[in-house]
Amino acid sequence: MPAVAAKKQGIGVGVNRSKRHHYVPQFYLRRFGRADDTHKVMILERHGDVLAADRKSIGSIGYEERLHDFVEDGTTQSVEAEINQTIETPFSDSETWGKIESGRFDSLNDLDGLSIYGFARHLQRRNLNTLLFMGTENARFLAEELQDLTDEERAMHQWIADTPGGAHTLFREGALDTMMPEDAPAINIMLCRSSISLRTSTNPTLMISVPGRKSIFGELFNSLRTWWLTLDRHWGVFIIAGGPPGFSKNDMPEDAARLINRQYFTQLTHGDARYMIADDPFLESDLEWAGYGFEQRTTHGFRYRLVSA
């Protein structure tokens, strides 16, 4: 059995009365609230071949009903409250988030960078898409479609297949993990300021590059594992593993910011996020770039339909 799966399956016992379990913290989404109504954001969502822009309340996105509930010994339990109490509330009350929330990005330092790395990792591990990915990959394993698995990966997939609710058990463990990974001291944190408005999504930690794959940011990133997290409309952070460690603050070229924004767009169209949060002036031109044609204006937004593959 994989070591991570050897833990007691009923971790985080407790009953949660809320049905809406947010996998994207609302304190994060509030960084993108509209100027005329800070409780709402402009989103783009996909309905088949249609992409629709609209205004949504922050509380109505980034959640799944009963996502963190599980049944043990015939009783419904939940880790929702524990996630909030042990990870998200402490981070939202931290000095690091206080600097971000108040716009004091110039005061962020290397210790803040490690906290941001931990937060980005948490957002990735507790996201609904992570649970869905676990299920999809395990189905591929059972269909013998996965090649070149390590012995540990094969054992993990077999454990998931043999254990009722196995994927959800590992998902809960990941969501509750508070340990920084071993590579944390070797991480390079690049805090970036953009002159144009940055996008995010309900799956906000983007994987930008993986060793062995061609990166959109050029050869320098081809050997690195790199993530991106937008922190507010004009600030975000690259998290880079595999190169020299460090912490820096940089002005982000407009073409790089537009590449990041298009990555969030691609994430949405590939079904890896339910909502993209965006109200930048390049959105409609990106829709046309991706083969979507204007259909109609709506009360708070618009609709585009795919016209080319």
Side-chain angles (χ1 to χ4, degrees), residues 24-167:
V24 186
Q26 294 180 72
F27 72 81
Y28 172 77
L29 294 175
R30 281 194 288 270
R31 303 303 309 139
F32 307 92
R34 292 181 54 82
D36 60 351
D37 188 343
T38 58
H39 299 289
K40 293 182 179 180
V41 291
M42 285 300 299
I43 59 90
L44 193 71
E45 60 181 319
R46 180 186 173 198
H47 301 281
D49 288 343
V50 173
L51 291 177
D54 200 358
R55 188 181 296 187
K56 294 271 190 182
S57 65
I58 288 171
S60 69
I61 64 173
Y63 78 89
E64 182 80 359
E65 289 197 0
R66 304 296 190 188
L67 176 62
H68 301 121
D69 288 0
F70 62 101
V71 177
E72 184 177 59
D73 298 329
T75 303
T76 299
Q77 317 244 9
S78 183
V79 296
E80 169 74 359
E82 186 173 0
I83 291 171
N84 294 333
Q85 292 167 5
T86 62
I87 299 176
E88 293 187 356
T89 296
F91 183 73
S92 67
D93 290 341
S94 69
E95 184 178 356
T96 297
W97 190 253
K99 294 176 183 179
I100 294 170
E101 195 170 40
S102 61
R104 293 180 290 123
F105 288 92
D106 287 338
S107 67
L108 291 170
N109 56 42
D110 54 347
L111 294 179
D112 295 313
L114 289 178
S115 294
I116 293 169
Y117 173 35
F119 181 56
R121 184 169 175 268
H122 171 70
L123 290 175
Q124 188 177 48
R125 300 189 76 178
R126 76 161 300 180
N127 199 271
L128 174 63
N129 192 69
T130 296
L131 177 60
L132 298 176
F133 178 77
M134 286 180 178
T136 300
E137 288 297 281
N138 195 242
R140 293 184 63 205
F141 167 76
L142 293 175
E144 300 183 352
E145 296 176 357
L146 295 182
Q147 305 296 323
D148 302 322
L149 293 176
T150 65
D151 290 343
E152 184 178 1
E153 289 169 338
R154 190 171 297 279
M156 178 191 69
H157 277 293
Q158 192 61 57
W159 184 88
I160 291 174
D162 294 341
T163 305

Side-chain angles (χ1 to χ4, degrees), residues 206 208 217 228 238 252 256-264:
L206 286 177
I208 296 298
F217 285 96
W228 167 269
F238 284 107
M252 193 175 198
R258 292 203 63 187
L259 272 177
I260 286 292
N261 282 348
R262 282 189 173 179
Q263 285 297 107
Y264 281 113

Side-chain angles (χ1 to χ4, degrees), residues 132-207:
L132 298 176
F133 178 77
M134 286 180 178
T136 300
E137 288 297 281
N138 195 242
R140 293 184 63 205
F141 167 76
L142 293 175
E144 300 183 352
E145 296 176 357
L146 295 182
Q147 305 296 323
D148 302 322
L149 293 176
T150 65
D151 290 343
E152 184 178 1
E153 289 169 338
R154 190 171 297 279
M156 178 191 69
H157 277 293
Q158 192 61 57
W159 184 88
I160 291 174
D162 294 341
T163 305
H168 197 273
T169 299
L170 295 189
F171 173 69
R172 296 196 307 272
E173 291 184 0
L176 283 166
D177 186 11
T178 59
M179 298 294 293
M180 290 295 286
E182 294 181 359
D183 67 355
I187 288 293
N188 185 0
I189 304 293
M190 294 177 59
L191 184 66
C192 299
R193 176 174 53 195
S194 169
S195 61
I196 67 170
S197 184
L198 295 167
R199 300 170 188 168
T200 187
S201 77
T202 50
N203 188 7
T205 302
L206 286 177
M207 175 64 77

